[in-house]
Amino acid sequence: MADPTDLSIAEAREALKRKQLSAEELARAHIGAIERANEALNTYILTTPERALEAAKESDARLRKGAARPLEGIPLGIKDLFATKGVRTTACSHVLDGFTPTYESTVTANLWSAGAVMLGKLNNDEFAMGSSNETSHYGPVVSPWRRTGSNAKLVPGGSSGGSSAAVAARLCMGATATDTGGSIRQPAAITGTVGIKPTYGRCSRWGIVAFASSLDQAGPIARTVQDAAILLKAMASHDPKDTTSVEAPVPDYEAAVILGVKGLTIGIPKEYRVPGMAAEIDALWQQGIKWLEAAGAKIKPVSLPHTKYALPSYYIVAPAEASSNLARYDGVRYGLREPGKNVISLYENTRSAGFGAEVKRRILIGTYVLSAGYYDAYYLKAQKVRSLIKRDFDEAFKDVDVILTPTTPSPAFALGEKSGDPVEMYLNDIFTVTVNMAGLPGMSVPAGLSSEGTPLGLQLIGRPFDEETLFRVGRAIEVAAGPLAKPQDWWSRAA
């Protein structure tokens, strides 16, 4: 058999069922791959090989008995935003140093109940605040991709850069991720992986470290559309512990993958053709339109007139919620504590030492827009714009089933290339934030390579709780685009 780490989840599931491979062999192959790559890529901030092998042995016992669960023996990486019982969880922030939860997030609990195996905790931007995975307390993640003819280290996207890089580099078969303004879809696009942000409320937020509570949503990153469907089916559930969790049946997403796009209408929003967009991004978008037409879909122009206000509105709403959510990190109950002469200085010293520059920037912005005299001028106005963005989508979905756009305005950039310019960094989310502002499902699917030889993705936006149609259309793009060459294994030599 070929290297087990090259198998998709669907292929590994079949190999395990046919006893061509054991869960322990699959786990050991991934543990070995992590040992060879992690020094160079910095995808995992904590590995759990003993736990992985123990779980794999339990999976092998179940497989022998014919009692396999949906993800039996499948090795996954877990973004460090998800609480894992007995395993350190820090949101990649100094302020949560040493925090070990006594509870499990609902999403990861669902995965373990489905038989998945945990390989470790994946790096991410601190508190999920970033678009390049350069703000982590544990250092930046390096993409496994390189530009043609260059050794420059590229970003893997953010905030779920550890998840996207680990999946692309074959260091796990899939990974959990979170998306507040594009943090699943953007890293998936620039690493050649599939990422889906489900409808707000589809996956429980309980046990996930909060950034912006009205925007955050968990989802998977995987190497194929089918694998993403398999993972989302296991991750999604109604959860009484999360008041924003929606009590709705979870469909069989995997069954939807093969249904095709014939009879569907695909919307093309004119507002996503933004000034300065790279010609190759527009060309890829046009290619995607042709692929879907050839597969039997109809194409229809749509208008989303308030799109131009989405990014500035997002960067009011998200920091405002972050400033509120992060007020709990004060050095009193858990994590870092920097002593002071009184309780106020203890708070100040702890937060000053514990938070990184980007997190401090967003707390300051959020506190400002919520302050007396500015709440109505900024925060309340942004919430009104949010309602208008949602109304635009509601109108468009009267005529179309799915909306097709680019995922990112450019290919992956190099480490340090944009980190000195916050506004330039925030512009990476220009195509993705509308989905979070409207609470809709969105997916990024690999669609080709840039002129630099690095991946590019196309984004699909769907009706609320209609992830099934995204999987149908995503699979059509995946088939038309053909298999994407995997990144060259330069990191083993570097390490």
Side-chain angles (χ1 to χ4, degrees), residues 51 55 58-59 62 67-74 76 78 104-118 233-237:
R51 173 172 170 156
E58 181 188 340
S59 288
R62 283 178 167 270
R69 295 165 291 182
L71 287 173
E72 200 67 71
I74 300 300
L76 303 178
I78 304 300
E104 190 80 29
S105 80
T106 298
V107 164
T108 51
N110 289 348
L111 292 171
W112 312 146
S113 295
V117 170
M118 183 169 80
K233 170 68 174 173
M235 292 170 68
S237 67

Side-chain angles (χ1 to χ4, degrees), residues 392-474:
D392 287 348
F393 279 108
D394 290 342
E395 287 299 312
F397 283 124
K398 290 178 180 178
D399 299 317
V400 302
D401 300 294
V402 169
I403 291 170
L404 175 72
T405 77
T407 309
T408 60
S410 65
F413 48 93
L415 291 177
E417 201 170 282
K418 297 186 180 182
S419 55
D421 186 344
V423 175
E424 181 71 16
M425 188 70 78
Y426 297 166
L427 286 170
N428 283 285
D429 301 330
I430 193 166
F431 296 140
T432 54
V433 294
T434 53
V435 175
N436 301 79
M437 294 290 273
L440 301 173
M443 174 190 283
S444 181
V445 183
L449 298 178
S450 71
S451 58
E452 299 172 340
T454 56
L456 296 172
L458 288 172
Q459 176 178 228
L460 301 167
I461 303 170
R463 295 187 179 99
F465 299 99
D466 188 21
E467 291 86 1
E468 289 169 285
T469 303
L470 295 188
F471 285 116
R472 292 174 61 183
V473 181

Side-chain angles (χ1 to χ4, degrees), residues 96-165:
L96 274 173
D97 266 354
F99 176 60
T100 302
T102 57
Y103 55 91
E104 190 80 29
S105 80
T106 298
V107 164
T108 51
N110 289 348
L111 292 171
W112 312 146
S113 295
V117 170
M118 183 169 80
L119 293 167
K121 302 303 287 288
L122 292 164
N123 205 339
N124 52 258
D125 279 303
E126 184 183 7
F127 283 106
M129 297 182 193
S131 300
S132 61
N133 218 139
E134 294 177 277
T135 71
S136 169
H137 175 60
Y138 299 99
V141 175
V142 177
S143 172
W145 289 89
R146 293 279 180 93
R147 292 169 177 153
T148 304
S150 170
N151 285 324
K153 294 179 178 178
L154 303 181
V155 303
S159 65
S160 306
S163 299
S164 64

